[in-house]
Amino acid sequence: MKFNRIDWQAQKEKRQMEYKFTEIEKKWQEYWKANKAYQVSNNSAKPKYYVLDMFPYPSGAGLHVGHPLGYIASDIFSRYKRLKGFNVLHPMGFDSFGLPAEQYALETGQHPAVTTKNNIATFKSQLDKIGFCYDWEREVRTSDPSYYKWTQWIFLQLFNSYYNKEENKAKPIAELVKQFATSGSPLTTHHSPFTPEEWKDYDEATQLNILMNYRLAYCGYGEVNWCEALGTVLANDEVVNGVSERGGHPVVKKKLRQWYLRITDYADRLLEGLTRVDFSDAMKDMQTNWIGKSSGAEITFQVSSELSVVSNAPLTTHHSPLTVYTTRPDTIFGVDFMVVAPELELINEIKSAEQAAAVDEYIAYVKSRSDVERMAEKKISGCFTGAYAVNPFDGRKIPIWISEYVLAGYGTGAIMAVPCGDERDFKFAQHFNIPITNIIGSHYNGEEANATKEAKLENSGFLNGVVMKDAMEIVIKKLEEMGIGKHKVNYKMRDAAFSRQRYWGEPFPITWKDNVARVWEGDLPLELPHVDSYSPGPDAQGPLANIPEWVAKELETNTMPGYAGSSWYFLRYMDPHNDAVFCDRKASDYWNQVDIYIGGTEHAVGHLLYSRMWTKVLFDLDLVGFDEPYRKLVNQGMIQGSSRFVYRISGTKKFISFNKKNQAGFAEPTDALHVDVNFVDGVELDIDEFKKWKNGEFADAEFILEDDGKYICGVETEKMSKSKYNTVDPTDLCLQYGADTFRMYEMFLGPVEASKPWDTKGIEGVHRFLKKLWRLFNDELKGKIWKEEKATEAELKILHKTIKKIEEDTERFSFNTAVSTFMICVNELSDAKCSKKEILEQLLVLLTPYAPHIAEELWQQLDNKGSVLDATYPVLNAALLVESSKEYPVSINGKVRTNINLALDIDQKQVEELVLQNEVVQKWLEGKAPKRIVYVKNKMINVVI
C-alpha cells in the first residue's frame, strides 16, 4: 500500500517515549482506514489466499471476550500470509436474518430491521477496536435486499433443477421435461409411469405436480416442531425436553406444507468430498454419522389383525403391508417384534379397538418430543398396536409396537427387532416381557444382545448352519425371488426443511395458483414487506399471511431459514457489488475455495453440510469451478466464563466471605448469588461497587470479611452468559490494556481448538511484556535507545531461533506457544542489552500479525519507509542455529562446581587441558594433579581428586 508520510518529522518530535497504547492504537486504526490499508483487489500477480470466519449473528448483547477467539486467530493468519507475499482475502459480514432478531423485536417493540442495523453498528465498532484487518468494502448482510436477491436467485436454480442419477449431478429441469415428452417417465415410487403421449395430454397443473417430485428445492408435507408461542417451526436442536430452547414454550408435532432441499441426493458425494478436505477427524465423523449411509434390505411383511391370529384363521383383513429396512436381513428368523414410528399413518389403519386409546395417548406424548430427545432418551417407552406382521418364511405372527426411538424419516419408519442381536431391542423386549428367540446359539447368553456376524445360524429354517455374514446375500436373493424385498442402500440423513413460519427471513420468489407452485414473474429481489405485527398467520402460516396485499398476489407466506444466506456467503465476498450475477466466474476462479475456514463445531451438521451441498449444485450447473467450498477447517474452542459468587446467609442481608463460610463451625445455610465479574479483582470483591449494583439492591448489605479485611468470592467455570454476570466486554479491556494486549492474551490462554476459562487477572503479564518490548526501543528518561550497529552472532542467533519458532507455530495455529516465544525473545534481548535496528526491525515484522499497532508505531520509529503491514517476512538463516559449542557441567568428585563452554569437536586431551586451566578447578586441586578426568561427550565432565 502507499504510505502517506504527512509530516512525520513533526510527529516524531512531539512523540513521548512511554508506551501510550491508547493514542497509538487510535492513530493507526484511523490511518489504516483512511489509507484503505486492507482493501483487497481481485487482480494481483501475487498468489491468492482466502481466510474466512463464520460470520456472526448480530445480537443485541454485542460481543463478549469469548466471541473474538476465532476472529483473532484468523486475523493473525491473514496478516502472516500477507507478509509472506500473498494477496489475502479476509472479509467480514453479518448473518442478519433469523428468529432471534424477530423475537428481540417483539420483546422491545422495535422493527427487526432497526434492531439489526443498530446491533451491526455495535459489533463493527467492537471489532474495529480490536484492530482486525477486514476489507469492510466487501461486507455482506444476509438481510440486505441486494444480497438476498441472489439467495432467491440460487433458490430458483435449485427449484429449476433435478438430480440426474445416471450422470450423478444436477441438471436443468427443462431437460427432464424434454425426456418426459420424448420417452415418458421411468418407473418411480413418486407417481405412476406415463407415456410421452400421456405427458403431453396432462394439463399444466398435473405436469408441475409431477415435476415437484424431482426438483432439488421442492414442496411437501411433513411433521415439524411447531411452537405456538413463537409462531414458528423450530429445528430439532432448538427443542429441549418438549419446549423451545428460546423462552421455554411448548412444542408439538404438526404436519405443515414445507419447502425442502433434496440433500439426500448428494449423500454419496458429501461423503466422498470429506476425503478431499482438511477437516478434523471428529468433524468428518460427525458429518459421516449424520449422513448415516448403510447397506441392507427392504422387506415387505403382510399385516394381520389380532382376531386372525387368535383364531388361527386365514388372513381375511386387507391391511396395507408393512415395509421395513434392515442392515441385517440374515436375522429374519430372529424377529420377535416390529417397531413402527408413531407418526406413520399405517398405525391408524392397523391398531385394534382394544389398543386404540392407548395408542392415541402414546402418539400424543411423542408429539411433544424432538427427534434429538427421542434418540438420546435412555428411558424405554412404547405401546402395542394390537396388530401383527407375518414372517414370510415361517408364517410366525410378530407383534407390531410403536416407540419413539424409531423415526419416520429414517428408512421406512419401521424396523424388525431382533433382541438376541441388538441391545436396544433386547432391553425393549425385557421391559415389555416379549419372548426372545435365540438364533445364534452359544453366542447369546440370555443377559445381553450380541451383534456378531460370525455365528452359525440356528432356529433359522433354510439358513441353519450358515454363517451370518454369508447368509445376508442368500436372504436378499430369496426375498427378490419372492417379490417381497430388495437390496437397499439407505441414509439416516433426511431432506433439509427449508421454510420457516416467521417474518424475518428471505421471501420465496414463488406464487401459489390453484395450489400449484410457480416461479414469481417479477424482478428480484422480491422484497420483504414492512409489517407492524409478527403474529402467526391463519392455520400456522407465517406472518406474511396477515398482509392482504401479499396474499392477493398469491405469494408464498413462509420465509427461508437462517442457513439460506449463510450457505453461499463465501462466494459473495469475492464479488460483493456485482448487480449482474451472484459472483462473476472470473472472481470465483481466482479466489477458488476458501483456504482456511474458522468457526465452531456447533455448525457441523447444519451450515457446513448445506453449504457443501449448495456449492456442489452450483458446480454441477457450471456456475463455479469447484465442488467443495472449504479446503481446510479449524474449529475454535470456547472461552468459558469464570463466574464469581457471593454468599448471603439465608433470610438475611448479610454476606459471608468464601473462606469464612467454609471454616469449621459455620453451619448456617447460605444462598450463592452470581456477581458481576467486572467488579471483582481476581477473587476479591469491590464492596463499594457491589453496593451500587442493580440500582442499589444491596446498598444496605452487611459483610463478614476475611481476617485481612477482604471479601473473597467463590469461583466456578461456566458458559459465558449475561445471565451469569460473567461476560467481559472486549472494548473495556482494549481501553484498559490496549487491543494488542487483548489480542495476544486471548491467544496466550491456550490452543485455539481447546476450550478454556477466561481470567482477566492474567492479562497483566502480557501487558508487561509489550512494555518491556517498548523499552528495547525507548527509555523513558533517555528517549530513543535503538542503534544502527551491526548485530553480533549471539544476537542474530536469538533472532533466528525466534523466526524459526514463530513461523512454525503460526503455520500450525499454535498461537499460544508463539506468544510464549515472543516473551522469551524479548527477555533474551533485554538480558543481552540488544537494541540494534538489524534485530529489532525483524522482530517487529514477526510481531505484526499478533500486535499490529505497536509493531507499526515502532517500525516508524526505526525510520523505515512504508508500512510494516507490507514488509517482507524474515527469512530464516538455519546456519546461525547450528551449534558449534556446548556448555558442560564440571563436577569435582561427583558434585557440580562450575560450567565450561567447549567446542563440539574437542577431544579428550584438549578437554583435560582446558579443564585444568579453569580457576574453580584449580582452587579445588590445590596444586595437585587429579587422579583422572572423566569426559562424557555432550553430557558432563567429572574431575576425580
Side-chain angles (χ1 to χ4, degrees):
M1 75 178 194
K2 290 185 177 179
F3 194 84
N4 181 3
R5 296 188 64 81
I6 318 172
D7 186 4
W8 189 249
Q9 189 61 38
Q11 287 194 30
K12 249 175 75 176
E13 292 171 357
K14 292 178 182 178
R15 190 186 307 120
Q16 295 184 16
M17 292 300 106
E18 66 268 27
Y19 175 38
K20 294 190 173 182
F21 57 85
T22 304
E23 295 176 13
I24 290 168
E25 292 176 358
K26 184 174 185 292
K27 175 179 73 175
W28 289 114
Q29 286 173 11
E30 290 177 353
Y31 185 86
W32 291 328
K33 183 177 181 181
N35 285 268
K36 297 185 176 181
Y38 302 129
Q39 189 173 29
V40 181
S41 172
N42 283 4
N43 298 301
S44 174
K46 298 177 180 178
K48 73 93 187 182
Y49 204 89
Y50 189 174
V51 181
L52 182 62
D53 298 294
M54 290 186 185
F55 61 175
Y57 181 83
S59 70
L63 294 172
H64 59 60
V65 292
H67 293 126
L69 177 66
Y71 304 157
I72 296 172
S74 67
D75 194 73
I76 289 171
F77 203 73
S78 297
R79 292 177 181 275
Y80 165 74
K81 282 295 185 181
R82 174 174 173 165
L83 291 167
K84 294 284 280 184
F86 288 84
N87 184 33
V88 180
L89 178 58
H90 185 217
M92 178 52 78
F94 298 94
D95 192 9
S96 48
F97 265 140
L99 179 61
E102 191 162 330
Q103 286 306 116
Y104 184 70
L106 282 167
E107 293 163 7
T108 59
Q110 303 174 77
H111 195 280
V114 174
T115 58
T116 299
K117 181 180 178 181
N118 293 339
N119 294 345
I120 288 175
T122 299
F123 268 59
K124 287 186 71 173
S125 174
Q126 289 180 297
L127 291 170
D128 284 342
K129 283 181 173 61
I130 302 171
F132 292 120
C133 63
Y134 296 130
D135 181 357
W136 282 117
E137 293 193 8
R138 292 176 181 260
E139 176 191 348
V140 300
R141 304 180 182 188
T142 58
S143 59
D144 187 325
S146 67
Y147 179 85
Y148 70 71
K149 164 186 177 178
W150 297 109
T151 306
Q152 292 173 334
W153 183 86
I154 295 173
F155 167 80
L156 290 179
Q157 309 315 301
L158 293 160
F159 180 75
N160 286 321
S161 299
Y162 79 105
Y163 200 81
N164 185 309
K165 299 293 177 69
E166 294 178 359
E167 296 186 37
N168 204 27
K169 63 185 291 188
K171 302 281 283 184
I173 201 84
E175 293 187 14
L176 187 64
V177 173
K178 288 181 183 177
Q179 178 185 323
F180 287 166
T182 57
S183 307
S185 71
L187 290 174
T188 174
T189 57
H190 298 306
H191 55 76
S192 300
F194 50 79
T195 65
E197 293 70 28
E198 288 172 327
W199 169 259
K200 293 171 186 174
D201 288 340
Y202 291 149
D203 59 28
E204 183 190 26
T206 302
Q207 288 182 344
L208 290 175
N209 283 329
I210 290 173
L211 291 174
M212 191 64 82
N213 294 300
Y214 297 88
R215 297 183 188 275
L216 290 179
Y218 68 95
C219 212
Y221 284 84
E223 292 272 359
V224 295
N225 301 312
W226 172 251
C227 180
E228 185 70 35
L230 296 179
T232 192
V233 167
L234 299 177
N236 286 328
D237 56 5
E238 295 173 320
V239 182
V240 180
N241 295 324
V243 298
S244 62
E245 183 181 38
R246 186 178 181 86
H249 304 294
V251 175
V252 297
K253 292 289 185 183
K254 192 177 184 76
K255 187 161 273 193
L256 294 178
R257 188 179 73 192
Q258 295 284 297
W259 285 95
Y260 295 91
L261 299 185
R262 213 176 291 276
I263 193 171
T264 49
D265 282 350
Y266 281 86
D268 282 330
R269 286 174 61 185
L270 288 168
L271 287 171
E272 183 277 329
L274 291 175
T275 66
R276 296 184 282 111
V277 293
D278 187 1
F279 291 7
S280 69
D281 289 341
M283 174 61 71
K284 289 182 178 182
D285 286 345
M286 279 190 276
Q287 294 210 353
T288 299
N289 293 336
W290 183 264
I291 294 168
K293 182 178 181 179
S294 62
S295 179
E298 208 166 72
I299 308 173
T300 299
F301 292 82
Q302 293 299 314
V303 176
S304 164
S305 68
E306 186 172 12
L307 180 62
S308 302
V309 174
V310 171
S311 64
N312 286 322
L315 290 178
T316 56
T317 52
H318 298 284
H319 294 307
S320 299
L322 176 64
T323 302
V324 304
Y325 170 76
T326 177
T327 59
R328 298 294 302 275
D330 54 305
T331 64
I332 192 164
F333 285 95
V335 179
D336 290 318
F337 59 97
M338 300 286 191
V339 186
V340 178
E343 296 90 346
L344 291 196
E345 293 180 0
L346 175 69
I347 296 168
N348 285 326
E349 181 183 335
I350 67 173
K351 65 185 178 185
S352 68
E354 294 82 0
Q355 288 295 111
V359 168
D360 293 345
E361 183 181 347
Y362 185 74
I363 290 173
Y365 156 74
V366 174
K367 281 190 173 183
S368 70
R369 311 267 286 159
S370 74
D371 288 356
V372 173
E373 291 170 323
R374 286 168 59 177
M375 295 304 291
E377 182 63 71
K378 294 182 179 179
K379 183 181 70 174
I380 298 170
S381 70
C383 183
F384 176 47
T385 63
Y388 294 82
V390 181
N391 191 310
F393 292 139
D394 62 11
R396 191 156 61 106
K397 307 301 187 292
I398 306 167
I400 301 173
W401 289 69
I402 57 174
S403 178
E404 62 179 323
Y405 79 84
V406 176
L407 302 178
Y410 178 62
T412 64
I415 66 165
M416 56 183 224
V418 182
C420 74
D422 181 274
E423 190 62 26
R424 187 167 231 176
D425 296 345
F426 176 79
K427 290 179 178 177
F428 192 96
Q430 277 195 323
H431 185 82
F432 290 107
N433 296 316
I434 300 171
I436 297 175
T437 302
N438 179 14
I439 58 171
I440 55 178
S442 62
H443 290 266
Y444 174 63
N445 60 14
E447 297 179 1
E448 59 184 352
N450 187 341
T452 181
K453 294 180 181 178
E454 305 300 325
K456 288 185 177 180
L457 287 161
E458 300 180 12
N459 298 318
S460 296
F462 64 88
L463 295 174
N464 282 336
V466 180
V467 177
M468 300 179 85
K469 62 185 179 183
D470 298 329
M472 293 189 193
E473 291 303 319
I474 296 173
V475 174
I476 292 173
K477 184 178 180 181
K478 189 83 169 174
L479 292 168
E480 289 175 343
E481 289 173 354
M482 296 170 65
I484 57 171
K486 60 183 178 181
H487 177 263
K488 178 83 171 178
V489 173
N490 216 353
Y491 302 90
K492 188 165 62 176
M493 177 174 67
R494 285 162 287 169
D495 283 342
F498 193 69
S499 52
R500 300 290 185 266
Q501 290 65 44
R502 62 186 181 215
Y503 166 71
W504 193 238
E506 298 92 339
F508 284 92
I510 293 291
T511 59
W512 288 92
K513 298 182 187 299
D514 302 322
N515 208 34
V516 176
R518 292 176 170 84
V519 174
W520 182 60
E521 295 178 354
D523 293 330
L524 297 179
L526 171 58
E527 291 201 30
L528 192 65
H530 183 89
V531 299
D532 296 316
S533 170
Y534 314 109
S535 58
D539 300 323
Q541 295 183 76
L544 294 178
N546 294 323
I547 303 175
E549 298 84 359
W550 194 267
V551 174
K553 294 176 183 176
E554 300 180 284
L555 289 162
E556 171 66 68
T557 57
N558 290 335
T559 54
M560 297 186 198
Y563 70 83
S566 65
S567 288
W568 72 281
Y569 74 113
F570 76 100
L571 291 166
R572 190 60 178 174
Y573 282 139
M574 300 176 183
D575 195 14
H577 307 297
N578 197 325
D579 292 330
V581 292
F582 73 101
C583 178
D584 187 87
R585 182 63 185 266
K586 185 179 178 182
S588 64
D589 283 349
Y590 173 68
W591 291 112
N592 208 264
Q593 291 171 285
V594 174
D595 291 285
I596 194 159
Y597 193 30
I598 302 167
T601 55
E602 65 272 17
H603 300 293
V605 294
H607 157 66
L608 279 172
L609 272 177
Y610 304 138
S611 185
R612 293 180 62 216
M613 180 225 174
W614 280 46
T615 304
K616 290 180 188 301
V617 174
L618 295 172
F619 172 77
D620 290 351
L621 300 177
D622 201 29
L623 297 169
V624 298
F626 48 90
D627 73 336
E628 282 291 340
Y630 315 114
R631 192 188 307 275
K632 179 181 174 66
L633 177 69
V634 172
N635 295 121
Q636 89 267 14
M638 180 185 295
I639 290 187
Q640 299 158 312
S642 184
S643 299
R644 298 294 183 265
F645 293 88
V646 292
Y647 302 94
R648 181 169 56 194
I649 298 175
S650 300
T652 74
K653 295 182 178 180
K654 193 174 292 185
F655 290 83
I656 184 167
S657 187
F658 177 76
N659 294 324
K660 285 288 184 181
K661 178 180 77 73
N662 291 331
Q663 278 183 350
F666 181 79
E668 294 184 64
T670 59
D671 303 315
L673 307 179
H674 281 93
V675 65
D676 195 328
V677 297
N678 291 289
F679 49 76
V680 180
D681 184 10
V683 292
E684 182 184 350
L685 179 70
D686 185 327
I687 292 174
D688 291 336
E689 288 298 316
F690 177 67
K691 286 185 173 184
K692 297 174 191 174
W693 190 42
K694 291 190 172 181
N695 297 318
E697 180 180 336
F698 305 110
D700 55 351
E702 300 175 42
F703 298 88
I704 301 174
L705 306 175
E706 303 293 330
D707 294 339
D708 59 3
K710 297 177 180 179
Y711 187 97
I712 302 301
C713 296
V715 180
E716 186 175 330
T717 299
E718 304 178 283
K719 182 178 179 181
M720 198 168 276
S721 164
K722 288 278 185 183
S723 64
K724 301 180 189 303
Y725 304 105
N726 61 4
T727 62
V728 179
D729 189 335
T731 304
D732 294 340
L733 293 176
C734 289
L735 290 172
Q736 188 174 356
Y737 298 101
D740 287 336
T741 297
F742 172 68
R743 290 164 62 98
M744 295 194 79
Y745 180 59
E746 188 119 331
M747 294 297 96
F748 189 55
L749 286 172
V752 171
E753 297 90 345
S755 293
K756 51 262 180 184
W758 176 266
D759 183 7
T760 302
K761 192 80 172 172
I763 201 170
E764 292 277 3
V766 175
H767 193 55
R768 286 194 298 271
F769 150 71
L770 288 177
K771 289 195 284 189
K772 191 169 187 177
L773 168 75
W774 182 268
R775 289 196 295 272
L776 289 174
F777 296 76
N778 301 290
D779 183 278
E780 292 183 8
L781 297 176
K782 298 177 184 177
K784 165 196 156 183
I785 60 172
W786 62 268
K787 310 178 189 69
E788 296 273 7
E789 297 173 8
K790 186 163 182 60
T792 66
E793 186 174 324
E795 291 165 342
L796 287 169
K797 184 175 179 180
I798 294 171
L799 171 65
H800 283 266
K801 182 175 63 174
T802 304
I803 292 171
K804 183 176 188 295
K805 188 71 165 62
I806 294 298
E807 186 164 359
E808 289 174 350
D809 287 348
T810 304
E811 284 285 357
R812 59 192 177 92
F813 267 59
S814 184
F815 302 130
N816 58 317
T817 55
V819 174
S820 297
T821 299
F822 280 122
M823 293 176 172
I824 292 168
C825 177
V826 168
N827 284 339
E828 290 180 349
L829 292 176
S830 297
D831 292 343
K833 295 183 170 49
C834 175
S835 291
K836 296 173 182 175
K837 179 177 179 179
E838 184 181 356
I839 301 295
L840 297 182
E841 68 179 358
Q842 297 295 290
L843 175 60
L844 290 178
V845 180
L846 293 176
L847 185 67
T848 295
Y850 293 80
H853 309 88
I854 191 173
E856 185 75 273
E857 178 70 16
L858 293 173
W859 180 260
Q860 301 308 322
Q861 287 189 27
L862 292 178
D863 291 330
N864 284 301
K865 293 181 179 180
S867 170
V868 73
L869 304 181
D870 297 314
T872 301
Y873 201 81
V875 177
L876 172 67
N877 183 349
L880 290 168
L881 303 184
V882 176
E883 298 289 350
S884 60
S885 64
K886 177 177 174 59
E887 192 166 89
Y888 286 83
V890 179
S891 300
I892 308 294
N893 286 345
K895 190 166 185 179
V896 176
R897 298 297 183 182
T898 188
N899 293 291
I900 188 169
N901 198 281
L902 300 175
L904 292 177
D905 58 354
I906 198 168
D907 60 23
Q908 176 77 29
K909 184 178 178 183
Q910 292 171 311
V911 170
E912 292 179 3
E913 290 174 356
L914 291 169
V915 167
L916 291 174
Q917 293 172 15
N918 184 273
E919 291 180 2
V920 175
V921 174
Q922 288 176 351
K923 174 187 169 185
W924 283 93
L925 287 173
E926 296 178 340
K928 301 174 185 177
K931 287 185 177 181
R932 66 179 181 275
I933 296 176
V934 180
Y935 164 55
V936 181
K937 190 170 183 177
N938 291 326
K939 289 190 176 180
M940 51 77 71
I941 299 168
N942 184 34
V943 180
V944 182
I945 61 176

